[in-house]
Amino acid sequence: MATEIEHKYIVSDESYLQGYSRKTYFRQGYLTTQPTCVVRVRIADNTAYLTIKGKNNGASRPEYEFEIDVDKAQAMLDNLCTTPIIEKTRYLYPYKGHTWEIDRFAGDNEGLVIAEIELNDENESYEQPPFIGKNVTGIARYYNSCLSEHPYSQWSDVEKEVK
């Protein structure tokens, strides 16, 4: 079983645009978003994946990912997934021994920018780049699966305030 360990942060400025190593455009949707299991279809540029994620336990959760045919993924996005479909550009930003993933959302989630770091161990130490803001790890409304059901454009001003 694979385990995903990640921390999520609000991005406080656009300085990541001056040091990223690669960017990828994503379209993704959700076939199910149950508390115990999330099933996602994703097209990343010209490659597609089906991903199954289990229930969170802190910053960790089981994850399984399989490459699938792009045309089948597109059909699932068009016909089976919850809308709105998540659209985002991911910037990879190397920083002091780790690679940060900065997701700049578009469409119904325009205006939201989140940075994530994936770790090998819950206790692994890391340094934060200067554009990292408030830690939102574990706050459900920042999960992509939640953004597909309650997009950022529908958040109240209170919800947009990070607490």
Side-chain angles (χ1 to χ4, degrees), residues 60-128:
S60 303
R61 65 180 165 176
E63 177 182 61
Y64 303 91
E65 187 165 75
F66 309 94
E67 191 169 327
I68 62 173
D69 179 80
V70 173
D71 291 333
K72 289 179 182 173
Q74 187 60 56
M76 285 187 261
L77 287 169
D78 291 343
N79 300 303
L80 300 175
C81 292
T82 304
T83 57
I85 299 300
I86 300 290
E87 300 173 73
K88 62 186 179 180
T89 300
R90 172 167 291 167
Y91 298 84
L92 298 183
Y93 188 90
Y95 189 78
K96 298 195 177 184
H98 289 89
T99 299
W100 290 78
E101 298 174 344
I102 296 91
D103 289 342
R104 184 181 191 126
F105 291 86
D108 289 299
N109 291 294
E110 180 83 34
L112 182 60
V113 184
I114 299 290
E116 299 177 354
I117 184 169
E118 291 200 15
L119 304 171
N120 295 314
D121 181 270
E122 284 267 356
N123 299 312
E124 183 177 346
S125 63
Y126 58 92
E127 289 189 48
Q128 298 175 0

Side-chain angles (χ1 to χ4, degrees), residues 18 38-39 52 74 80 98 122 135-136 144 149 157 160:
Q18 304 303 317
V38 173
V39 181
I52 303 161
Q74 187 60 56
L80 300 175
H98 289 89
E122 284 267 356
N135 186 333
V136 294
N144 283 258
E149 296 172 342
D157 290 340
K160 290 181 181 179

Side-chain angles (χ1 to χ4, degrees), residues 8-14 16 28 86-91 101-116 134 136 139-148 150-156 159-162:
K8 290 180 177 249
Y9 296 85
I10 297 293
V11 172
S12 60
D13 64 57
E14 294 186 345
Y16 66 91
Q28 66 189 46
I86 300 290
E87 300 173 73
K88 62 186 179 180
T89 300
R90 172 167 291 167
Y91 298 84
E101 298 174 344
I102 296 91
D103 289 342
R104 184 181 191 126
F105 291 86
D108 289 299
N109 291 294
E110 180 83 34
L112 182 60
V113 184
I114 299 290
E116 299 177 354
K134 178 77 174 169
V136 294
I139 301 175
R141 71 177 174 266
Y142 291 98
Y143 297 164
N144 283 258
S145 57
C146 291
L147 292 170
S148 73
H150 185 55
Y152 188 72
S153 61
Q154 295 176 7
W155 289 16
S156 69
E159 287 175 304
K160 290 181 181 179
E161 290 178 23
V162 180

